[in-house]
Amino acid sequence: MFLLRLRSDRPASARTKRLNSRRTPLTLAGAAVLLLGACSGEKSTGPGPVATAIKAQDGNAQTGVVGAALSVPLAVVVTDKDGKTISGARVDWDVGVGSGTALPTRSTADARGIATTVWTLGATAGTARLSAQVNGVTPVVFTATVIAGPPALLVASPEAAYLNVGDTVRVRGSLRDQYGNTIVGQSITYSTLDPTLASVNSTGLVTAVAVGTARVVAEASSRADTVPVTISATGASVCGPIAARVLALGEVFIPPAGSASITTCITSPSAINGEYALTLVSTATSFGTSSPVDVLALGSTGPTIAALTGNANPFAPIGAEFASVSTSVSTSIDAFEAASTALSPVHAAELARRALEHRALTPLVSVARDWLASRTALSRTVPLRPAYAVTAADAKVGDVLRLNVNANVACTNADTKSGRVAAVGTKSIIVSDTDNPTGGYSDTEYAAIAATFDTLVFPMDTTAFGAPSNISSYGKIILFYTRAVNALTPSGAGYTIGGFFFARDLYPKMAKNGLAACAASNESEMFYLLAPDPNGTVNTNKRTKDEVTLLNLTTIAHELQHLINSSRRLYVNTGARPNEETWLDEGLAHVAEELLYFRMTNVTSRQNLGLTDVAGNATRSDQFRNYASQNFSRFYSYLIAPEVNSPYAPNDSLATRGAIWNFLRYAAGRQGAGGEASFLRSLVNSNTTGVANLQNVLSGSQFADYLRDWSVSLIADDFSPTTTAALSQSYIMPSWNFRGIYPGLRFSGGTALGVYPIATRSLLSGSPQRVLLAGGTSSFVRFGIPAGRSATITVSSNGALPPSTLKYALVRLR
């Protein structure tokens, strides 16, 4: 589903409550507009909802220890539209990733309308989330504060130290529970077992006294760890016996793993203060699998370049004025709002609706396939006619169809509307709800929409993803412009729901044996679109024709991918699992939007487009804003928080959508100019879903390497022309110069972003960094090494070797 959000004059504290799902910054009638894509695509299903509200009754905002059950069970009360409690409603308890388990996972409201569960917390300290969901109702989100468990180990860093007499190094101890969570508030004591060789004070500062090997002990809560300190008379290197390596500019180095850590020694060239980055990415296939990572450097400095500003004008030095570049690009990025959308209740609700659809329709897959096979056999002798009696032969302007527009329930509670055929194309039937507001499209305008679909969007999407099924036998897709879509947006909301695809329409009303299947299906390839409403007839929300036309073109490209993906999995590739994972389906749909931008601007996917290319004049700026800035806005949400967001997180957040779009674009680009479409088609025409799908298409273990190399590209590609020229092609994104474009994009308040907004850590000598990485999340650690000097970089996990799912690489940036 697509949502269009208008910028208001409300303060930021109010704006953060608005629905955040997909951003398309536009300029319409002088107002900055934000398009948000919560393309639920397939809405909730199941029995008609009786409940209209659910609220928390007990158990919210508790505090508990990792791995333990909360003392108070969670309880919700379910009510109808009159506020009366209802019994028998099914409540699903959906625990957030890494937040533990609920028992039971599904319960039924009792005679008082109350449903309960017991929440057992997960293994990660911090804030845990759980949502209680009733079909068709906004969920309730419970939170809990999770504290670390009792001490289980103490980890001291560095792993080892090499000093000259008189040198110092600081040993740091960290007390942790059985899951590796840091326990705060515990006093760490330090001592030396060899006081004639080295001394240590109460803060862990070690001073080398004499030649030899001393042992320094960190201790707390009956746990201890020892750091060996090797002391030389003169000339000791911070690297000790580790062989030093000088990295060439743009060289990517993957150090070998040792017995207890990954440790390497890097030396900067004699005349250059080197700039480096360490990329870390968890390739665990589940976002719910978290790995603690400890990073320590000795001999490093902070990054040489304080900010990743990039170079917005490739023909001017950094810091020059961009006089030749249009400054009218505006993506309406709001950093505060972007950061707040990671796991919003709205996104949780969208994801819950998709899950409900999967549960309702998956049992009908075999029925649907048998039904289509029997229809296909019958059509050889008897011409088939869909339920509304329109076929390819007789569909004409003026015909009236009866179509179910219920966006919340799949197979029951049909909300049937009359729709007039307004245009018939070679691949499309444009239908307009007879109850649409006045001031809408004329038949001539609808005919133009059909022509655009037939000649632009349909061939574009089918080339990239494959052709959809043809269950209705007339070879055309219905585009239903209906006020039912307008009605999904409440009056005065800060967003607009722009349209949706609903997989229930691909399923039969009755099985081939005459038994009921999905009785509310429209039995047709179709999707639903926003109708113009210039007078604000529906919920007082005004929608001009120009606004709707612009919005719907991107919506159609997006939703057609969903239709192709869903229908091919159901009827074309009959060995496939029927429903793609939400994050991958949405990522492919956002690629469809990007393909639309390429078509509208007549560029290819391998031109490394920079700011001049997307904003060199007013036309380019408008095209970028209308067709490309949405993906940049979503990807921005990922870049500002890569350690908590992943391309395959099961939360349908803005950041997840941005990350998977960008990863797919990178992976497609790596196939070469002739392999991009084949790569995309392989993902749609696969028998598997999600990470398994990507693993199969990328030959298994290559998926993990792709994630690592993609992470390197995000920090290194286009860092400078000379760096990019030296990089291997595996670390280059051929489509976009993100480092050049982002500084020229503007915040909604009118201020240029000014930087490439990737969040990084600075790795100072002796200051350990601790990162918790879930599956697909990345960390970017930057540091400098003075000219001719050396530094050791150590990566470990709770004093041991990191898991094999951690992929890492070092790259020299300057």
Side-chain angles (χ1 to χ4, degrees):
M1 181 173 295
F2 271 51
L3 300 103
L4 180 71
R5 190 175 68 190
L6 294 169
R7 189 185 71 184
S8 72
D9 293 326
R10 290 176 291 175
S13 59
R15 291 201 305 270
T16 59
K17 299 178 182 178
R18 295 177 296 176
L19 180 56
N20 292 309
S21 296
R22 176 177 182 271
R23 306 169 185 233
T24 302
L26 308 171
T27 299
L28 302 172
V33 178
L34 217 54
L35 178 66
L36 308 173
C39 174
S40 75
E42 292 121 345
K43 296 289 290 183
S44 62
T45 62
V50 176
T52 59
I54 178 175
K55 64 179 180 180
Q57 186 187 60
D58 208 357
N60 194 24
Q62 297 183 69
T63 297
V65 177
V66 289
L70 292 175
S71 59
V72 178
L74 308 189
V76 295
V77 59
V78 184
T79 58
D80 63 13
K81 61 183 179 62
D82 297 319
K84 298 179 180 178
T85 60
I86 57 174
S87 62
R90 190 183 82 185
V91 178
D92 290 290
W93 305 92
D94 184 12
V95 184
V97 173
S99 293
T101 58
L103 189 66
T105 58
R106 179 183 301 168
S107 54
T108 302
D110 61 19
R112 301 168 298 163
I114 296 174
T116 63
T117 194
V118 174
W119 187 3
T120 298
L121 301 174
T124 303
T127 300
R129 292 176 174 83
L130 179 151
S131 61
Q133 301 163 1
V134 172
N135 189 21
V137 177
T138 302
V140 169
V141 178
F142 290 84
T143 62
T145 300
V146 188
I147 59 177
L153 73 159
L154 188 143
V155 178
S157 62
E159 185 179 2
Y162 303 92
L163 305 176
N164 291 311
V165 172
D167 288 348
T168 60
V169 69
R170 189 173 301 281
V171 170
R172 301 177 189 272
S174 175
L175 190 63
R176 299 172 185 177
D177 68 12
Q178 62 175 321
Y179 302 111
N181 296 295
T182 301
I183 300 171
V184 298
Q186 296 283 337
S187 177
I188 309 291
T189 60
Y190 300 93
S191 62
T192 175
L193 300 181
D194 308 283
T196 61
L197 301 179
S199 64
V200 60
N201 67 13
S202 60
T203 66
L205 183 66
V206 178
T207 302
V209 177
V211 174
T213 299
R215 294 159 296 170
V216 176
V217 179
E219 187 174 7
S221 297
S222 302
R223 270 72 178 174
D225 194 12
T226 302
V227 175
V229 179
T230 301
I231 304 166
S232 301
T234 59
S237 166
V238 69
C239 299
I242 305 171
R245 185 183 182 101
V246 178
L247 298 184
L249 182 66
E251 181 181 355
V252 176
F253 174 53
I254 303 172
S259 59
S261 67
I262 300 156
T263 302
T264 191
C265 175
I266 302 296
T267 299
S268 270
S270 58
I272 297 174
N273 293 327
E275 171 90 359
Y276 303 85
L278 169 68
T279 64
L280 305 165
V281 58
S282 171
T283 65
T285 56
S286 169
F287 183 69
T289 301
S290 295
S291 303
V293 183
D294 300 299
V295 183
L296 178 69
L298 294 177
S300 65
T301 65
T304 305
I305 300 174
L308 298 180
T309 58
N311 185 357
N313 185 343
F315 305 107
I318 292 177
E321 295 295 325
F322 310 135
S324 63
V325 178
S326 168
T327 58
S328 63
V329 176
S330 173
T331 60
S332 299
I333 294 173
D334 184 324
F336 185 80
E337 289 186 334
S340 71
T341 61
L343 284 174
S344 72
V346 173
H347 288 97
E350 293 292 341
L351 198 61
R353 293 186 185 103
R354 182 70 65 89
L356 286 169
E357 179 196 56
H358 290 183
R359 286 197 295 267
L361 295 180
T362 299
L364 299 177
V365 169
S366 295
V367 170
R369 289 171 177 168
D370 289 346
W371 165 80
L372 184 61
S374 66
R375 282 171 57 89
T376 302
L378 181 62
S379 67
R380 297 190 182 102
T381 57
V382 180
L384 295 179
R385 297 172 67 86
Y388 36 77
V390 173
T391 68
D394 62 13
K396 60 184 183 298
V397 173
D399 285 342
V400 176
L401 315 182
R402 297 282 290 168
L403 298 169
N404 172 26
V405 298
N406 193 322
N408 297 305
V409 181
C411 297
T412 60
N413 287 22
D415 182 9
T416 304
K417 302 294 183 184
S418 295
R420 176 182 175 273
V421 175
V424 179
T426 58
K427 295 296 182 183
S428 58
I429 298 178
I430 311 298
V431 181
S432 175
D433 192 328
T434 57
D435 197 28
N436 275 345
T438 59
Y441 296 123
S442 67
D443 283 0
T444 300
E445 290 167 323
Y446 276 124
I449 291 171
T452 300
F453 180 83
D454 295 344
T455 61
L456 173 65
V457 181
F458 186 87
M460 178 188 76
D461 272 20
T462 54
T463 297
F465 309 113
S469 62
N470 184 26
I471 61 170
S472 53
S473 78
Y474 54 74
K476 300 177 191 291
I477 295 171
I478 293 177
L479 282 63
F480 191 22
Y481 286 76
T482 172
R483 65 178 292 151
V485 172
N486 299 56
L488 296 174
T489 306
S491 177
Y495 60 90
T496 298
I497 296 177
F500 62 92
F501 159 72
F502 200 164
R504 62 104 188 276
D505 294 320
L506 298 174
Y507 285 76
K509 292 175 176 293
M510 292 189 300
K512 68 177 183 179
N513 55 13
L515 298 178
C518 187
S521 170
N522 287 310
E523 290 187 357
S524 183
E525 289 82 9
M526 66 178 296
F527 40 83
Y528 308 78
L529 296 166
L530 187 74
D533 185 8
N535 299 314
T537 303
V538 182
N539 293 345
T540 71
N541 295 317
K542 294 183 178 181
R543 315 290 182 205
T544 68
K545 286 197 291 186
D546 287 345
E547 174 186 346
V548 171
T549 299
L550 191 59
L551 167 62
N552 278 347
L553 183 57
T554 306
T555 302
I556 291 167
H558 183 112
E559 300 301 339
L560 180 56
Q561 189 288 139
H562 287 316
L563 169 59
I564 292 170
N565 203 324
S566 186
S567 66
R568 291 189 67 85
R569 285 181 168 276
L570 185 57
Y571 292 123
V572 179
N573 308 310
T574 54
R577 293 182 59 182
N579 300 301
E580 181 54 89
E581 295 291 336
T582 299
W583 54 267
L584 184 50
D585 196 15
E586 294 297 344
L588 289 165
H590 294 317
V591 169
E593 299 172 35
E594 181 186 42
L595 295 175
L596 179 65
Y597 172 79
F598 292 154
R599 291 291 183 93
M600 297 298 288
T601 55
N602 195 31
V603 300
T604 73
S605 61
R606 309 184 69 81
Q607 293 184 217
N608 197 39
L609 300 173
L611 186 62
T612 303
D613 301 303
V614 303
N617 54 49
T619 298
R620 292 178 185 177
S621 181
D622 286 344
Q623 290 169 332
F624 179 84
R625 180 166 48 247
N626 294 338
Y627 306 114
S629 60
Q630 338 166 351
N631 280 328
F632 274 69
S633 185
R634 286 184 288 263
F635 185 49
Y636 172 87
S637 298
Y638 167 78
L639 285 174
I640 63 174
E643 292 183 4
V644 297
N645 291 299
S646 161
Y648 48 93
N651 55 24
D652 199 27
S653 71
L654 270 172
T656 298
R657 289 171 177 240
I660 186 57
W661 160 69
N662 195 269
F663 176 77
L664 291 175
R665 172 45 54 202
Y666 163 82
R670 190 160 164 176
Q671 310 311 307
E676 293 189 10
S678 176
F679 168 74
L680 297 173
R681 284 195 300 269
S682 295
L683 289 171
V684 173
N685 295 278
S686 166
N687 287 345
T688 56
T689 60
V691 171
N693 189 358
L694 283 167
Q695 287 176 321
N696 289 339
V697 172
L698 297 174
S699 302
S701 62
Q702 287 191 34
F703 171 62
D705 291 341
Y706 266 59
L707 281 173
R708 178 198 61 211
D709 297 350
W710 170 63
S711 294
V712 172
S713 77
L714 297 183
I715 192 72
D717 188 23
D718 293 310
F719 188 89
S720 71
T722 52
T723 303
T724 301
L727 281 173
S728 165
Q729 290 298 308
S730 298
Y731 310 112
I732 290 176
M733 173 83 75
S735 300
W736 302 95
N737 183 338
F738 293 105
R739 195 179 293 274
I741 292 175
Y742 271 108
L745 304 185
R746 294 183 178 275
F747 286 92
S748 57
T751 302
L753 190 59
V755 297
Y756 173 55
I758 190 170
T760 64
R761 293 172 178 257
S762 293
L763 187 61
L764 301 176
S765 180
S767 298
Q769 298 285 325
R770 182 164 172 79
V771 187
L772 187 67
L773 294 178
T777 62
S778 298
S779 181
F780 301 92
V781 185
R782 299 169 59 223
F783 59 95
I785 302 176
R789 303 288 295 274
S790 299
T792 58
I793 312 298
T794 300
V795 180
S796 59
S797 179
N798 290 326
L801 196 65
S804 60
T805 52
L806 180 74
K807 294 288 184 178
Y808 55 90
L810 282 160
V811 57
R812 181 180 153 201
L813 300 175
R814 70 180 297 273

